[in-house]
Amino acid sequence: MRSDSVRSTLNALLDANARFDLGAKGTTNHCPMALVALAEMGASSARLSAFFDRWASTYALSAPPVVTRIDRREWKTHLGTRAAFGALRLCFLDWTADTGPASVIASVLSEVRFAPATQAFHSIIRLAYGIEAGHAGEIASGLASLIASHLPIDIRADSKRREAASIGEGFDQVGEAFRDVSFAQNTITSRVLAVAD
């Protein structure tokens, strides 16, 4: 990031992103991750603002109002409850303000089953970008996404299959396994689940 002005603009736009839903029109909310990436690549404040405005007018969906609060001792009861995203975000934001982000991240990641494919990998990426930007709201959003969209995938190796002797042979085996498979699903998450099945 080049200047305090860019950092200030980035933080303001990440704050404003809180009014957007976890999802977006035809995709997920990539706006905060794109803003951080643009800032790290040297984009100006004007470029960040232009990107945000374009996202807001083209893809953004308004976040539903948060009608209930979640206590930090109860966040685990909302695992996989997508509608709880906003309330979870506020829970993690308040908790982070009290104890700092490292403590909250460590607590959450140690108490929930690791599921990196959650929201098609966007949750863990969003958390990483929030950490990179040092933005409490995006750290909270990444954690809230990990919990609200939690998608553990159990993949057990088929003992009837032989181990591939090389990477090429491994790809050949995967190709053979999916020879007649077609994926009618539109989203990355649904395709990940189809492959896991």
Side-chain angles (χ1 to χ4, degrees):
M1 227 173 289
R2 291 187 185 168
S3 68
D4 289 342
S5 170
V6 170
R7 182 170 297 284
S8 177
T9 299
L10 175 63
N11 285 331
L13 294 173
L14 292 175
D15 288 344
N17 183 74
R19 72 179 194 245
F20 301 149
D21 194 17
L22 179 58
K25 295 173 189 167
T27 187
T28 192
N29 185 357
H30 292 94
C31 184
M33 296 173 282
L35 288 169
V36 173
L38 285 167
E40 289 298 324
M41 291 188 296
S44 67
S45 292
R47 178 67 184 107
L48 295 177
S49 295
F51 177 85
F52 183 87
D53 293 344
R54 168 98 176 163
W55 183 271
S57 66
T58 307
Y59 298 105
L61 296 172
S62 295
V66 176
V67 295
T68 186
R69 296 295 290 221
I70 296 173
D71 184 271
R72 69 182 67 164
R73 293 173 302 240
E74 299 174 355
W75 64 266
K76 287 182 278 187
T77 64
H78 299 280
L79 194 64
T81 308
R82 196 171 189 292
F85 171 75
L88 283 164
R89 180 187 179 282
L90 292 178
C91 170
F92 294 134
L93 190 59
D94 290 345
W95 189 3
T96 297
D98 289 346
T99 65
S103 171
V104 178
I105 293 166
S107 292
V108 172
L109 294 182
S110 69
E111 293 184 45
V112 70
R113 186 169 159 218
F114 189 58
T118 297
Q119 208 198 12
F121 305 97
H122 290 94
S123 298
I124 198 76
I125 296 168
R126 188 169 184 178
L127 174 60
Y129 273 69
I131 293 167
E132 177 72 23
H135 190 271
E138 274 308 300
I139 291 169
S141 293
L143 290 170
S145 178
L146 275 169
I147 301 309
S149 305
H150 190 68
L151 180 67
I153 297 175
D154 284 324
I155 300 177
R156 292 180 176 79
D158 182 350
S159 60
K160 296 174 189 170
R161 294 235 181 240
R162 64 181 168 77
E163 190 173 312
S166 68
I167 293 172
E169 185 180 328
F171 280 121
D172 288 344
Q173 287 180 15
V174 170
E176 183 61 33
F178 289 98
R179 177 183 305 267
D180 297 319
V181 176
S182 64
F183 299 104
Q185 298 84 359
N186 293 342
T187 67
I188 295 170
T189 300
S190 61
R191 290 179 181 182
V192 167
L193 287 172
V195 168
D197 285 345

